[in-house]
Amino acid sequence: MINTHEVLNQPPPREGVDEFGSNAPLVEAVARWGRADVPGAPAPAGPGRTHRAAPDVSTLDEIGRHVGSAAFQRDAERANTHPPVLHTHDRWGNRIDEVEYDDAYHRIMAAAIGAGAHTSAWASPGVGANVDRAAVFFLFAQVEPGHACPVSMTHAAVPTLELAASALRDEWMPRLLSRAYEPALADRVGPREARPVSRSGAKHSALVGMAMTEKQGGSDVRANTTRAEPTGVDDAWGREFRLTGHKWFCSAPMSDAFLVLAKAPGGLSCFFVPRVLPDGERNVFRIQRLKDKLGNRSNASSEIELDGTAAWLVGDEGRGVATIVQMVTRTRLDCVIGSAAGMRQSVAEAAWHVRHRSAFGSLLVDQPAMAAVVADLALESEAATITAMRLARAYDDDAAAPDSSDVPEQGFRRLATAVAKYWICKRGPGHAYEALECLGGNGYTEAFPLARRYREQPLLAIWEGSGNVIALDVLRVLAREPEAFEAFFDVVGEAAGEHAAFDLALAGARAVVSEVASDVTSGAAAARARELTERLALVLQASLLVQHAPAAVADAFVRTRLEGDGGLLYGALPPGVDTSAILARA
């Protein structure tokens, strides 16, 4: 009798994998630019407080095994299939504006915060600190990207919060640096007169988000209409205001505080808005609804209403964009890291499938057409990974020595952040699709993670500035900070002389820069902004691969991305590409 329900020729579950140790480009990048370890175990939540237990995963190997475990993968799936639920009122009609998450989400958050994915680079600064933190962030975002939003915003809020009044900063900064995860809002922060003394009734940790976008302006934050009216009170936290307005996108609304842009009498300004006021009362922070999004389902994105909401000025009045730009810059960096992490998940799943699935008489990986596709996907992933890690290294001067920055590195990261954000995040969706297709019909089902990844990848190209916004920012750098281009080409030029095709592409990129710079404020320059940004991105990636990757990887990338010797879609590799060597790293 034929058993029609016998399962044959299906790949085994990809579980029990060390996601760090199995990722050769990431391991090599951390060894090159990081400290190859993340010091310290999760800090306790503090006396008398309860928090969700986080596993002690304080090294990258431990983190890699944790996120590669079957349990973490099940939590990642559940956090997305049981999305957040908004509760505007309690059973008695009191306005509470709380978001309920599945326990799987809380377990993921506890592990990520406990491992320092949020602020470890600030808590333990030094050369390589941002690379180590980026690697932790990468590993968690590779398997479950939705939780990475509040993790990223909390990391990015630190330099902006440094501009707040000393008492506010001194009270809140230790909470941001804590490795404890306490998901509930504080019941009581303490009496105003006691501020800023630490109180046993306060939470010992905090997540910080931001709210800038309004429905009439989008990326044009100067079109914001939210008003900030001074109360005349100037207390230990600084100048107090009352905010009134609507924010069209506010991610992670369960966070403990937010950095918000609003129009004060002196112009657009940045404000610190706590969810719970110093006297223990809830601040006015009305969550109107949660967005029904294409992807990113585990992360609550919302519309909020501010109505006489208490807020404290951060930075100078009228300098809101300049104040919050440090936060935006670092969340853009995390978009790059998150997109690279998504590419790694896509490649890892595709490579696993083709190594365990047979068709037409042989394993898929042994069939040249499929091997070429996966190898091409691996090239893209490796280029994104090495770029993200080198970019993270450029941020180390701030964490290591805030008072004495490395000016060339600052210039490099100013331009390279925008360039990488544009290119790597835009390459993410197409990359995810091609990897999904490697799994055939399985890839298109929700039972496998690549359908979720396919919906996830477009977000990071939109968040913190979509394509035109970022490309025009590159033009802005060219017009106002030409020294950043000098620093960029100093870094990229370190690969000069190693590959003839790279040298030609580098000269071509320089030529386009000169052409655009001659009339950088014109409409013609704006029309070439994407071309310019793409050229810069490709020579940056090629430079890093030529210097640091195996010859098979660097040569294939240069031939297909710079010489145009490949096709327009993945898998059209030219003759002579060593697909076996590339696949060995996937």
Side-chain angles (χ1 to χ4, degrees):
M1 176 181 291
I2 298 175
N3 184 355
T4 60
H5 293 286
E6 184 178 2
V7 178
L8 300 171
N9 196 27
Q10 285 282 2
R14 189 175 177 274
E15 300 170 348
V17 177
D18 177 359
E19 296 288 9
F20 177 67
S22 63
N23 187 344
L26 183 61
V27 171
E28 292 165 6
V30 172
R32 184 180 305 115
W33 293 307
R35 294 179 296 195
D37 194 9
V38 180
R49 301 298 295 174
T50 58
H51 66 289
R52 295 175 186 268
D56 184 357
V57 285
S58 55
T59 70
L60 289 170
D61 288 326
E62 292 168 343
I63 294 165
R65 289 190 292 271
H66 179 70
V67 301
S69 68
F72 190 88
Q73 291 181 40
R74 284 195 298 271
D75 278 346
E77 180 179 4
R78 185 174 178 86
N80 285 272
T81 56
H82 294 72
V85 177
L86 172 62
H87 300 290
T88 57
H89 297 78
D90 65 16
R91 68 175 72 179
W92 298 281
N94 298 304
R95 186 96 195 200
I96 57 172
D97 295 291
E98 293 186 355
V99 180
E100 179 184 357
Y101 294 81
D102 190 84
D103 279 347
Y105 175 88
H106 291 304
R107 286 191 291 270
I108 291 168
M109 284 291 291
I113 297 295
H118 60 326
T119 54
S120 60
W122 304 106
S124 180
V127 174
N130 278 282
V131 178
D132 288 343
R133 179 261 163 190
V136 177
F137 183 85
F138 183 112
L139 290 169
F140 279 99
Q142 175 184 326
V143 182
E144 204 302 294
H147 82 285
C149 177
V151 171
S152 174
M153 291 191 296
T154 302
H155 162 74
V158 170
T160 297
L161 195 58
E162 288 285 357
L163 303 175
S166 59
L168 190 155
R169 182 179 66 243
D170 292 346
E171 183 164 347
W172 280 85
M173 197 66 77
R175 300 179 192 171
L176 271 66
L177 301 182
S178 170
R179 299 243 187 140
Y181 174 59
E182 301 169 275
L185 292 174
D187 295 326
R188 180 176 177 79
V189 179
R192 181 182 296 267
E193 60 271 14
R195 202 166 58 207
V197 178
S198 178
R199 295 168 295 278
S200 61
K203 286 180 63 172
H204 290 77
S205 64
L207 298 173
V208 174
M210 61 178 165
M212 296 191 294
T213 306
E214 298 186 7
K215 51 184 175 287
Q216 76 284 347
S219 297
D220 183 8
V221 295
R222 296 192 183 279
N224 284 3
T225 60
T226 297
R227 303 188 312 277
E229 300 174 354
T231 64
V233 174
D234 191 351
D235 62 16
W237 279 13
R239 292 178 59 196
E240 191 176 25
F241 286 73
R242 291 288 184 267
L243 307 187
T244 301
H246 186 93
K247 294 295 179 181
W248 188 235
F249 277 97
C250 175
S251 290
M254 79 298 181
S255 299
D256 300 281
F258 293 84
L259 292 169
V260 177
L261 289 182
K263 285 190 173 178
L268 192 65
S269 305
C270 180
F271 296 92
F272 181 82
V273 177
R275 285 295 312 271
V276 178
L277 296 171
D279 61 6
E281 295 295 320
R282 293 284 178 94
N283 204 356
V284 180
F285 192 91
R286 296 176 184 147
I287 304 174
Q288 302 295 75
R289 63 171 174 168
L290 300 185
K291 299 285 192 178
D292 186 9
K293 297 172 295 183
L294 170 68
N296 201 237
R297 307 291 290 186
S298 67
N299 178 45
S301 297
S302 65
E303 295 172 34
I304 62 167
E305 197 79 28
L306 307 173
D307 187 8
T309 302
W312 284 262
L313 181 67
V314 177
D316 296 329
E317 187 173 345
R319 296 276 296 165
V321 174
T323 299
I324 208 168
V325 71
Q326 290 285 352
M327 185 175 189
V328 173
T329 297
R330 282 168 175 78
T331 48
R332 284 181 176 177
L333 168 64
D334 282 354
C335 286
V336 175
I337 299 169
S339 291
M343 288 185 184
R344 171 58 189 171
Q345 182 186 40
S346 297
V347 167
E349 294 291 337
W352 181 270
H353 181 85
V354 301
R355 286 191 172 107
H356 293 91
R357 176 82 166 180
S358 295
F360 309 111
S362 64
L363 284 173
L364 290 174
V365 72
D366 294 328
Q367 301 183 26
M370 180 61 82
V373 171
V374 181
D376 211 356
L377 291 170
L379 283 178
E380 195 75 34
S381 174
E382 181 155 352
T385 297
I386 197 171
T387 304
M389 293 300 114
R390 175 59 181 90
L391 189 55
R393 175 63 184 87
Y395 282 77
D396 272 335
D397 60 285
D398 279 354
D403 297 327
S404 57
S405 60
D406 184 331
V407 175
E409 281 290 274
Q410 278 197 345
F412 167 73
R413 78 174 188 229
R414 172 66 182 96
L415 178 58
T417 301
V419 166
K421 193 325 188 157
Y422 173 88
W423 182 248
I424 292 175
C425 296
K426 278 199 167 297
R427 295 289 284 179
H431 185 274
Y433 158 70
E434 194 69 58
L436 180 156
E437 187 179 305
C438 291
L439 275 65
N442 285 353
Y444 199 66
T445 69
E446 296 296 338
F448 291 81
L450 292 192
R452 185 165 71 244
R453 176 57 65 181
Y454 179 58
R455 293 194 304 273
E456 188 74 31
Q457 288 293 68
L459 172 64
L460 296 178
I462 297 170
W463 195 38
E464 302 300 29
S466 54
N468 285 343
V469 171
I470 300 298
L472 293 174
D473 188 39
V474 171
L475 288 188
R476 191 176 301 109
V477 176
L478 182 58
R480 301 177 183 176
E481 305 171 63
E483 66 278 4
F485 274 78
E486 296 175 12
F488 179 89
F489 281 117
D490 283 345
V491 171
V492 173
E494 292 172 2
E498 297 295 326
H499 200 296
F502 169 77
D503 291 347
L504 286 173
L506 180 59
R510 287 183 179 275
V512 172
V513 169
S514 297
E515 292 168 8
V516 173
S518 65
D519 193 13
V520 70
T521 60
S522 69
R528 298 190 70 182
R530 287 187 172 221
E531 175 199 356
L532 171 62
T533 306
E534 179 176 331
R535 283 177 176 267
L536 294 173
L538 287 172
V539 294
L540 172 59
Q541 291 187 316
S543 171
L544 294 172
L545 292 175
V546 166
Q547 292 178 75
H548 304 298
V553 173
D555 181 69
F557 187 89
V558 170
R559 289 181 65 186
T560 55
R561 272 65 169 178
L562 297 186
E563 289 186 304
D565 203 10
L568 297 178
L569 298 176
Y570 288 103
L573 297 178
V577 168
D578 191 346
T579 56
S580 297
I582 297 169
L583 284 172
R585 296 169 63 78

